[in-house]
Amino acid sequence: MRIQQLVLGPVAFASLAIAAPAPLGLVVRDGATVDDCPGYEASNVKKTDSSLTADLTLAGDACNVYTDDVKDLKLLVEFQSKHRLHVKIFDADEQVYQVQEELVPRPENGETPSGDADLAFDLVEKPFSFKVTRKENDEVLFDTSGAQLIFEAQYVRLRTSLPKDPNIYGLGEHSDPFRLPNVNYHRTMWNSESPFLPTNANLYGSHPVYFDHRGDKGTHGVFLLNANGMKIDLNLTDSGDQYLQYNTIGGVLDFYFLAGKQPAEVSKQYADTVGYSAMFPYWTFGFHQCKYGYWDVNMVAEVVGNYSTAGIPLEVMWTDIDYMDLRQDFTTDPERFPLGKMRELVSTLHSRGQRYVLILDPGVHFKEGYAPYEKGHEMGVFYKDADGSDNFGVQWPGTVAWPDWLAPNTSEWWADQIATTFSADEGIDLDGIWVDMNEASNFCQNQACNPLDDQGNPPAPGNAPRPNTGRPIPGFPADFQPSGSKLRARQDSDGKHKGLPGRDLFVSKYDPVNHRGGLPDYTLWTNNTNADGTKVYDTHNLYGHAMSHVTYDAMLARRPGLRPMVLTRSTFAGNGRKSTHWFGDNESSWEHYRLSIRQMLAWVSMHQMPMVGSDVCGFNGNADELMCARWALLGAFQPFYRNHAEISAIHQEFYQWPLTIEAGKKAIDTRYKLIDYAYTALYYQTTEGTPMINPLFFLYPEDENTFGIQHQWFYGDALLISPVTTDYSDSVTFYLPEDIFYDYWTGEREDGKGANVTRNGVSWTDIPVHIRGGTIIPQRANSTNTTAELRKQDFVFLVAPDADGKAKGRLYIDEGEMIEQTDVTELDITYDNGEITVGGTWGYKGLKGESITLKSFKILGQNGIAMGSLGENSKLDEDSGAVTVEGTWSLDGDFSTHI
Ligand SMILES: *[C@@H]1O[C@H](CO)[C@@H](O)[C@H](O)[C@H]1NC(C)=O
Ligand SMILES: *[C@@H]1O[C@H](CO)[C@@H](O)[C@H](O)[C@H]1NC(C)=O
Ligand SMILES: *[C@@H]1O[C@H](CO)[C@@H](O)[C@H](O)[C@H]1NC(C)=O
Ligand SMILES: *[C@@H]1O[C@H](CO)[C@@H](O)[C@H](O)[C@H]1NC(C)=O
Ligand SMILES: *[C@@H]1O[C@H](CO)[C@@H](O)[C@H](O)[C@H]1NC(C)=O
Ligand SMILES: *[C@@H]1O[C@H](CO)[C@@H](O)[C@H](O)[C@H]1NC(C)=O
Ligand SMILES: *[C@@H]1O[C@H](CO)[C@@H](O)[C@H](O)[C@H]1NC(C)=O
Ligand SMILES: CC(=O)N[C@H]1CO[C@H](CO)[C@@H](O)[C@@H]1O
C-alpha cells in the first residue's frame, strides 16, 4: 500500500515544501489593459427556425491581458422553449472547461420556433455584441454592446447594460442586501468557509443567477452556467451608465435567459433549467436541536429529556463532530459515544417518534489501520499528487485525504461506509446526514503548511469539566439513568497544532477577490486533477454540490425508497435537487437574525433551494433570552428550523430561559398546526417551481414599495410575517400592501393601505402575522409533541375572503416519507360568498390512526352578517367577525357546504 511510503516526517515534508508556483503559461503583452482588447467579429451566421450559430474571430491584435486570448470562438443560440433562450459562447476547439452534465444536467431543448418565443435575440456582427429583448413590450433585457467581449484562457469578460437603479436579486451565496447594491458593488463566487458571514464576500456556495425586476414591465432571470471562480460587478460607467459585468477566471459563457414575466414564473423557469427541488420528508418540518459540544451520549439524551420536561416538542436531535472517535468520519468515540449506547439512544428516539441526524466531513483521516482511509486508498478515490501519492489537507481529525467525487469508485466507497456505519441492524440507524466543511475547507492555509504534520483537533481532554451525569434523564432506558452503566473518561492522545506561515502558490492573474486570500488558500488545492481529467481550478465551486449529491444517493441506497434528508453547507446552482442547506456559521446577534430573512428570500425564491434556514439563536457567541425568544418565533416561519450553537457558546436550547420556553412552545405549536400548509407549498415548489417563501414583490410586482423589502416575507402565499427587527425593541414598522389582510392571531380584518404600519408593545413571545385575503389555509386542529402524532389530528380550514368575498387554497397529503407516492390527495378548496367547495384527487386514506377528517371551516371577516342567514352548524364570533362551521367531513370525496 502506498501509505507505507507516506510516513509522517521530514522526508515527506521536504517534498511538499519545495513546491514551486504553478506555471500559468502567460504571454502577456506589455502594458496592455482590457481597454486594448479588440473584441470579436461574427461570421458564417446560420439560422434555423429555432436556432442561430456563428463563428466569432478575434477582431484585431490579441490583448493577452491576463492570459492568451482565444482566437476562435463559436456562438450557439437556441430558443429552447417559449420562455427560455440559451446563448452559449465557447472556444471553437472545445478545450475550455464546461460544467459536467453529471453534476448539472442540462435542460432539454424544445426547439421552439423563434417566432413563438417571448424573447428576441439580435446580433451585431462587428464588433460582436448581442441583445435580448422582451418582444411584448420591446424592453431590452440584456445588451453587451457597451464593452468588448474578452475570452482568454484564464479571464472571460462580458458586460451588459442595465436600466438606471435596477432591481437585481440573487447571485448567492452572500450576506448582502436582498435587493443588491448597484454601484461599486462586486459579487465573488468562490466557495469558502466563512465564519461570521462577512458582507460583500464570497460565502459557502455559488449560484450565478440573478432576477431583474422591472415592475409592470416584467421580471426576467439570467443564469450563467459557469462554475469557475468569478467576480460579477454592478456599477456605473464614467458617464453614469448602469452595467453588470461578468469576470470569470475560466470556463465558457453559457447563458440561460428566462422570460418570466411574473416573478414566480422566473422561479419556475429556473427550476426547468437547473432542476426542481427534491421533496423532503414530512418530519423535516419538525423542530431540530443541535450544538457542537454535547459532551457525550448522556448529554445528548439529557437535552432530549429536558425538552420533554419543559413541554417543548423536539422532532430531530443532531450531533456534531463530538460523536466521532478523534473527529474521524464513520467512527464513534468509544468512551463518550460507545456504539451500543448510541444504538440505544436512537431506538429510544425512534420509539418516541423522534429522529436523529449526524454530521460527516469530506476529509478522510490519513492513518494506518483506519479502514475508511485504507479502503478508499485501495479503491483510488482520493486526489493524487503528481508523484501518485494521495494529496493531503487538514480538517478536524488532522491530516486528511480528499475524496474526488468524480472518481469511478467514490460513490460506491462512500455508500458502503454509510451503509455499514449507519446500518439499522448493527450501526447507528440515523434519519438524515449533514455534510459540512465541503467547500472544501482546509485548516492548512497554503502549501507552506505541511498537512502531514497536523495532529488534528481532538475533543477536550478527559479531565476537562464535564456535565454531571448523575441526574435522571426522563424517557430514556436504565442505561442512561444514574444507576446505569457509567461512561469512562476519554483516553486522550497528545494533540498539537502547527502554525500556518503564509505563501501563495497558485495565483490567477485576474483577481476575483476571494476574502480568504488566494484561490487555493484554506481549501483543497486547485492544482488537483479530477478523475475525469478536469482540474479543481475549474471545479472548486462544485465540490460540496457533488459531495451532497453522492451522499443523497448513498442514503437512498441505504434505505431504498425513502426520501433522503441531506443538509449541506456548500452548494452550487441546482443543488436543491438533492439537498437542503443552512446559512452557515452565523453569530448570535440581531444583525444575523435579520440577515436570515434576506438569505431565506433568495435561497427559496431564486436559487430553488426551499428547505433552508439559519441556526436559530445564532451559532457563534452567546445568545441571550430576549433575542433567542424572538428568533424562536422567526425560525418557526422559515422552512428549516434548527437551533444550533458553537462549542464555546453558552447553552441556548429553548428550555434554558422562561421566555424562550414560552416563545418556543408558541412558535412550535403554530408551526405544527401549519405543517400541512407548508408541506403543500413545498410540494408545489418541487412540482411546479412556485416558491414556498415569497418576497413581497412576488405577490405585488407592481408595487414599488415592496421591491426593497427584506425583513418581511410570505410563508407560503398566504401568511405575511412581519417580525420585530430592531435590537431589543418591542416595536415594529412593517409594510401592508393595498389589499385585505386579517390578523392571524385574532382573526380581525386589517386593510392594507400600501403604507407602513407601526405596532408597539409586541411582547417577547409574539410575532405579527397576517393572512392575505383571498386565501384558504389548511391547518391541524391541535399541535402535538411530534409530527407523527400531528398526522393523527383532524384538519380545520381557515378561510380569508378577498374584497369580492372569494378565496382559494390547496392541500396536498401523502404518506410523508416515500419517494414514490401512489395514494395522494390533492385538493382545491374554494370559497365564494358563503359557499365552500372541496374537490380534487382523493388517494390518501390515512395510515395507522392518521386523520383525514375535517372538523370545521373558519371564515374570517363576517362581521355584521345576519345571524338568521347562518346554517345551524354555524356560529359567529362577534369579536373577531369569524364564522365557524362545525361538522365532520371525511376527506375522501368531493363535497360542498355553506355557512
Ligand atoms: C466602479 O466604478 C468606479 C469608477 O469607474 C471604479 O473606481 C470602481 O473600482 C468600480 N467598482 C467595481 C466593483 O467595479
Ligand atoms: C437539563 O436540565 C437539568 C435540570 O434543569 C440541568 O441541570 C441540566 O444542565 C440540563 N442539561 C442540559 C444538557 O441542558
Ligand atoms: C408523544 O406522544 C406520544 C403519545 O402520547 C408518545 O407515545 C410519544 O412517546 C411522545 N413523544 C415524545 C417525544 O414526547
Ligand atoms: C476500483 O476499486 C477496485 C477495488 O475494489 C480496484 O480494483 C480498481 O482499480 C478501482 N478503480 C480505480 C479507477 O481506481
Ligand atoms: C500540486 O501542487 C503540489 C505542490 O506544489 C504538488 O506537490 C502536487 O504534486 C501537485 N499536484 C499535481 C496533481 O500536480
Ligand atoms: C416603510 O419604512 C421603511 C423603514 O422605516 C422605509 O424605508 C420605507 O420607505 C417605508 N415605506 C413606505 C411605503 O413608507
Ligand atoms: C384536540 O385536543 C383536545 C384535547 O387535547 C381533544 O379534546 C380534541 O378532540 C382534539 N381535537 C381534535 C380535532 O383532534
Ligand atoms: C463579522 C462579525 O460580526 N464577526 C464577529 C462575530 O462574532 C464574534 C464573536 O461571537 C466576533 O469575534 C466577530 O468579530
Side-chain angles (χ1 to χ4, degrees):
M1 271 179 43
R2 280 215 67 91
I3 52 168
Q4 304 301 338
Q5 298 158 9
L6 285 169
V7 288
L8 301 178
V11 178
F13 180 67
S15 70
L16 281 156
I18 54 169
L24 291 171
L26 296 182
V27 187
V28 179
R29 215 172 74 186
D30 280 348
T33 72
V34 289
D35 296 331
D36 301 318
C37 294
Y40 287 80
E41 179 179 351
S43 61
N44 192 24
V45 179
K46 289 186 187 142
K47 288 188 190 177
T48 72
D49 202 24
S50 65
S51 73
L52 179 153
T53 55
D55 297 334
L56 304 180
T57 317
L58 201 62
D61 290 343
C63 53
N64 300 342
V65 178
Y66 296 108
T67 42
D68 287 353
D69 291 353
V70 177
K71 294 205 171 44
D72 294 304
L73 304 178
K74 281 190 184 300
L75 169 70
L76 168 69
V77 180
E78 293 169 333
F79 291 88
Q80 293 195 331
S81 76
K82 182 166 156 46
H83 315 289
R84 187 174 66 240
L85 173 67
H86 180 214
V87 177
K88 184 166 161 182
I89 298 170
F90 55 102
D91 59 311
D93 292 342
E94 297 207 37
Q95 287 179 350
V96 174
Y97 171 73
Q98 299 191 18
V99 176
Q100 290 88 335
E101 289 260 358
E102 66 177 292
L103 294 178
V104 183
R106 305 300 195 272
E108 226 173 273
N109 178 7
E111 299 183 22
T112 301
S114 58
D116 296 344
D118 290 347
L119 301 176
F121 178 87
D122 291 297
L123 174 74
V124 176
E125 294 189 12
K126 187 171 184 188
F128 164 73
S129 74
F130 72 89
K131 211 163 72 172
V132 176
T133 311
R134 182 188 298 288
K135 284 198 233 163
E136 177 193 300
N137 54 9
D138 287 333
E139 182 76 9
V140 177
L141 308 182
F142 204 86
D143 179 353
T144 71
S145 61
Q148 302 294 1
L149 164 68
I150 302 176
F151 202 120
E152 301 187 338
Q154 286 184 268
Y155 179 64
V156 179
R157 177 186 86 174
L158 189 80
R159 177 183 290 198
T160 177
S161 50
L162 290 177
K164 283 221 171 333
D165 198 19
N167 303 299
I168 306 290
Y169 311 83
L171 300 178
E173 181 172 13
H174 60 77
S175 57
D176 300 333
F178 176 51
R179 176 181 180 268
L180 292 169
N182 296 322
V183 180
N184 196 20
Y185 176 73
H186 76 268
R187 279 287 313 118
T188 296
M189 307 248 170
W190 186 256
N191 296 354
S192 75
E193 164 151 34
S194 302
F196 308 123
L197 312 179
T199 53
N200 215 351
N202 45 307
L203 303 183
Y204 309 94
S206 293
H207 296 258
V209 57
Y210 72 82
F211 280 41
D212 178 342
H213 178 60
R214 301 190 183 176
D216 58 5
K217 294 184 189 137
T219 314
H220 66 275
V222 179
F223 171 49
L224 173 60
L225 176 48
N226 178 305
N228 280 84
M230 69 175 81
K231 179 160 90 63
I232 300 172
D233 300 320
L234 274 159
N235 208 355
L236 299 176
T237 64
D238 291 340
S239 45
D241 297 322
Q242 178 73 51
Y243 66 85
L244 180 150
Q245 178 169 304
Y246 295 94
N247 308 277
T248 80
I249 62 166
V252 302
L253 293 170
D254 193 359
F255 283 104
Y256 292 86
F257 294 93
L258 312 170
K261 90 182 229 196
Q262 293 304 316
E265 289 174 329
V266 183
S267 305
K268 176 197 182 338
Q269 291 153 12
Y270 184 57
D272 287 334
T273 310
V274 298
Y276 284 70
S277 162
M279 185 66 192
F280 297 104
Y282 190 89
W283 60 264
T284 52
F285 280 99
F287 169 66
H288 305 244
Q289 177 66 49
C290 185
K291 187 179 195 292
Y292 173 25
Y294 286 146
W295 183 269
D296 60 25
V297 61
N298 275 351
M299 192 167 180
V300 173
E302 192 174 67
V303 171
V304 176
N306 283 3
Y307 266 104
S308 298
T309 305
I312 305 169
L314 173 67
E315 180 82 4
V316 190
M317 190 63 197
W318 294 54
T319 304
D320 207 315
I321 55 174
D322 306 288
Y323 79 89
M324 297 175 184
D325 183 26
L326 298 169
R327 313 309 198 200
Q328 300 172 117
D329 281 348
F330 309 115
T331 64
T332 50
D333 182 315
E335 284 91 19
R336 292 178 185 174
F337 292 87
L339 180 60
K341 204 151 170 185
M342 285 292 270
R343 284 179 53 74
E344 234 183 323
L345 171 82
V346 177
S347 59
T348 307
L349 289 171
H350 286 173
S351 72
R352 296 153 51 100
Q354 292 169 306
R355 308 278 177 166
Y356 195 52
V357 177
L358 289 174
I359 194 170
L360 288 175
D361 292 329
V364 175
H365 196 196
F366 164 54
K367 199 174 86 174
E368 250 191 285
Y370 171 54
Y373 173 76
E374 291 190 342
K375 188 76 189 162
H377 180 84
E378 190 186 304
M379 291 177 76
V381 310
F382 301 120
Y383 284 110
K384 297 265 186 287
D385 283 340
D387 67 0
S389 55
D390 290 334
N391 178 254
F392 297 114
V394 176
Q395 286 195 335
W396 293 106
T399 310
V400 295
W402 306 105
D404 168 4
W405 305 105
L406 292 165
N409 281 340
T410 309
S411 297
E412 181 191 327
W413 160 77
W414 190 250
D416 281 351
Q417 300 303 322
I418 285 180
T420 309
T421 313
F422 306 127
S423 138
D425 299 329
E426 283 152 26
I428 304 170
D429 187 17
L430 48 60
D431 300 284
I433 290 187
W434 167 21
V435 291
D436 195 24
M437 301 288 288
N438 55 358
E439 291 72 29
S441 175
N442 187 349
F443 294 158
C444 258
Q445 181 185 354
N446 55 31
Q447 286 82 351
C449 148
N450 180 7
L452 292 176
D453 239 9
D454 199 299
Q455 299 303 302
N457 294 266
N463 58 4
R466 47 194 311 230
N468 164 23
T469 47
R471 287 180 293 269
I473 302 177
F476 279 79
D479 232 14
F480 288 83
Q481 304 309 335
S483 55
S485 67
K486 294 280 182 291
L487 298 173
R488 282 177 296 140
R490 140 161 293 291
Q491 311 300 302
D492 295 281
S493 56
D494 291 334
K496 68 178 159 116
H497 290 262
K498 270 275 166 191
L500 308 174
R503 183 165 74 111
D504 285 352
L505 277 182
F506 311 129
V507 182
S508 90
K509 244 195 121 210
Y510 173 80
D511 179 11
V513 195
N514 171 17
H515 81 98
R516 300 300 303 276
L519 294 179
D521 281 9
Y522 296 111
T523 191
L524 167 64
W525 295 350
T526 45
N527 72 326
N528 275 301
T529 305
N530 297 301
D532 67 0
T534 56
K535 299 288 181 195
V536 171
Y537 175 90
D538 293 308
T539 62
H540 167 87
N541 283 342
L542 293 160
Y543 193 78
H545 172 77
M547 180 191 188
S548 61
H549 282 199
V550 168
T551 305
Y552 175 101
D553 296 343
M555 283 294 274
L556 191 55
R558 171 182 165 265
R559 290 199 305 198
L562 290 188
R563 294 172 183 152
M565 154 68 173
V566 175
L567 180 81
T568 181
R569 190 167 78 181
S570 187
T571 62
F572 185 73
N575 192 248
R577 284 193 290 118
K578 295 185 175 180
S579 329
T580 68
H581 174 65
W582 91 108
F583 305 149
D585 297 342
N586 66 349
E587 59 174 339
S588 297
S589 70
W590 288 99
E591 180 47 29
H592 284 178
Y593 161 98
R594 292 184 285 270
L595 169 59
S596 74
I597 304 172
R598 53 188 196 260
Q599 290 196 307
M600 167 187 66
L601 288 173
W603 280 104
V604 181
S605 68
M606 288 158 189
H607 303 326
Q608 285 293 349
M609 291 203 63
M611 192 50 89
V612 296
S614 67
D615 284 343
V616 168
C617 300
F619 178 73
N620 289 295
N622 291 339
D624 64 53
E625 180 174 12
L626 300 181
M627 185 185 69
C628 195
R630 286 254 184 269
W631 212 326
L633 286 151
L634 185 91
F637 296 99
Q638 302 196 357
F640 176 60
Y641 187 34
R642 183 183 70 159
N643 180 330
H644 179 36
E646 203 261 340
I647 190 165
S648 58
I650 60 168
H651 279 267
Q652 62 184 38
E653 295 83 12
F654 290 161
Y655 57 75
Q656 295 290 351
W657 300 283
L659 282 177
T660 50
I661 293 176
E662 200 187 323
K665 279 184 185 172
K666 176 173 174 178
I668 294 170
D669 179 271
T670 309
R671 178 182 174 86
Y672 281 21
K673 285 179 184 162
L674 288 165
I675 283 186
D676 293 86
Y677 163 77
Y679 188 72
T680 299
L682 174 66
Y683 174 70
Y684 286 114
Q685 178 150 11
T686 68
T687 52
E688 298 178 354
T690 46
M692 68 168 292
I693 295 292
N694 284 280
L696 270 69
F697 85 80
F698 269 50
L699 297 180
Y700 301 94
E702 297 185 10
D703 179 353
E704 283 185 29
N705 292 323
T706 63
F707 298 175
I709 292 179
Q710 58 177 4
H711 290 159
Q712 290 176 264
W713 70 97
F714 280 95
Y715 187 56
D717 63 359
L719 289 174
L720 175 62
I721 318 298
S722 311
V724 174
T725 50
T726 309
D727 305 15
Y728 301 107
S729 167
D730 68 350
S731 162
V732 55
T733 295
F734 56 84
Y735 184 70
L736 269 192
E738 201 176 329
D739 206 342
I740 291 181
F741 288 93
Y742 303 84
D743 185 301
Y744 177 76
W745 307 107
T746 65
E748 280 166 42
R749 180 165 158 176
E750 186 173 349
D751 288 0
K753 306 219 164 40
N756 280 338
V757 175
T758 297
R759 243 198 227 185
N760 297 315
V762 182
S763 81
W764 295 103
T765 56
D766 203 4
I767 181 170
V769 177
H770 290 84
I771 311 170
R772 188 170 63 92
T775 61
I776 298 177
I777 300 174
Q779 301 195 102
R780 297 280 179 169
N782 286 336
S783 181
T784 53
N785 63 357
T786 60
T787 64
E789 289 297 314
L790 188 69
R791 296 174 64 90
K792 299 177 185 163
Q793 300 300 311
D794 296 337
F795 287 93
V796 294
F797 290 170
L798 186 56
V799 180
D802 64 12
D804 299 325
K806 295 184 181 174
K808 58 186 191 334
R810 299 203 274 192
L811 173 62
Y812 171 77
I813 317 174
D814 67 16
E815 160 281 341
E817 269 200 278
M818 304 295 290
I819 290 186
E820 298 297 333
Q821 296 281 344
T822 43
D823 303 321
V824 307
T825 289
E826 244 183 298
L827 304 185
D828 284 311
I829 313 157
T830 56
Y831 175 82
D832 187 349
N833 293 292
E835 295 297 319
I836 298 159
T837 311
V838 182
T841 312
W842 303 95
Y844 192 65
K845 303 288 180 235
L847 298 163
K848 292 177 266 166
E850 294 184 3
S851 173
I852 52 163
T853 301
L854 173 69
K855 291 302 284 185
S856 69
F857 290 92
K858 187 169 178 182
I859 298 99
L860 303 176
Q862 304 303 304
N863 316 61
I865 196 170
M867 289 294 198
S869 71
L870 292 179
E872 60 184 36
N873 296 325
S874 303
K875 276 200 312 271
L876 172 68
D877 172 29
E878 310 245 1
D879 288 339
S880 67
V883 167
T884 305
V885 189
E886 307 265 355
T888 299
W889 296 274
S890 181
L891 295 177
D892 59 7
D894 295 8
F895 66 91
S896 58
T897 185
H898 55 89
I899 65 175

